[in-house]
Amino acid sequence: MNARILLFAKAPVAGRVKTRLIPTLGADGAARLARRMLSRTLSAARASGIAVELCGDPDPACWGPLSFGISLSVQGDGDLGQRLAHAASRTIERGQAALLIGADCPGLDAAHLRAAAAALEAVDAVIHPAEDGGYVLLGLRRFHSSLFEDIAWSSDQVARQTIARVEALGWSLEVRDTLRDIDEPDDLGALPPELRPVTAIAGADTAR
């Protein structure tokens, strides 16, 4: 399958990323973790052998070394659904399947990405749900705007609503294993050892 990974991420700037982790890690600590997770996700994407595009907020051309060696684009205006839809539609229009991912799931590795791309040889859509009810990957070889409109983003309904929309279209769908995003303080214990924060503010032990 001729596919492209579309990695959606914010610049890892203190105070702008991983804001739900700031009470535990502090703004600088949350930004450092975001940067390390972004680097890990980029490495996995490159290792998959699939074309990679970093869709950044703001323009990733100014992010520095993390953005080197891959295609870069700006997410653009609109809510998350509109930005995802724009990236997916232009990718599919040029004859590539779209693999939409973020940088919040350390468990999403090169093997998952290759398997999702391979699944799109046989099905119209593939999804890796997240434990919190979102999704960590949505792969599409066809586009329809309903997959991104009126979705309760940042809620536990995102994967369920997206699956229902795919089924309503009559498309074939493969639901793959559920993975864990790192968004809340309770998620920090699920980080692999090399990503775990060593210290946190207020003496909290987040490395256990």
Side-chain angles (χ1 to χ4, degrees):
M1 167 63 67
N2 180 19
R4 176 173 289 259
I5 296 167
L6 300 171
L7 170 54
F8 271 66
K10 291 181 179 179
V13 175
R16 293 196 69 245
V17 292
K18 292 294 169 199
T19 55
R20 284 175 281 179
L21 295 179
I22 289 175
T24 301
L25 300 181
D28 289 340
R32 284 195 298 271
L33 178 59
R35 190 174 188 87
R36 287 154 65 192
M37 289 200 298
L38 176 58
S39 180
R40 183 185 179 96
T41 304
L42 282 169
S43 294
R46 290 189 181 106
S48 73
I50 302 167
V52 184
E53 180 177 332
L54 175 59
C55 304
D57 176 24
D59 186 349
C62 64
W63 288 15
L66 278 173
S67 65
F68 291 171
I70 59 173
S71 298
L72 305 174
S73 64
V74 182
Q75 290 183 19
D77 298 327
D79 65 17
L80 177 60
Q82 291 170 315
R83 288 177 276 139
L84 290 170
H86 176 68
S89 63
R90 61 175 163 76
T91 298
I92 293 166
E93 284 172 3
R94 66 187 177 205
Q96 294 178 297
L99 297 176
L100 297 160
I101 67 171
D104 300 329
C105 180
L108 185 68
D109 59 19
H112 287 108
L113 295 167
R114 285 192 293 266
L120 291 173
E121 297 279 1
V123 299
D124 298 313
V126 59
I127 191 169
H128 274 283
E131 289 186 6
D132 63 6
Y135 56 74
V136 302
L137 178 149
L138 178 65
L140 302 169
R141 66 174 182 178
R142 303 170 67 180
F143 176 78
H144 198 280
S145 62
S146 66
L147 301 178
F148 305 100
E149 295 171 342
D150 300 318
I151 298 290
W153 301 109
S154 300
S155 79
D156 61 2
Q157 300 299 309
V158 174
R160 186 179 307 170
Q161 290 177 336
T162 303
I163 290 169
R165 302 285 178 86
V166 173
E167 292 173 341
L169 290 168
W171 291 3
S172 53
L173 170 68
E174 182 170 321
V175 180
R176 300 185 64 82
D177 52 315
T178 298
L179 301 173
R180 186 166 184 170
D181 270 341
I182 306 298
D183 290 318
E184 304 282 353
D186 287 347
D187 298 325
L188 292 172
L191 283 168
E194 65 272 18
L195 291 181
R196 290 184 188 179
V198 176
T199 59
I201 66 171
D205 179 13
T206 61
R208 65 182 181 274

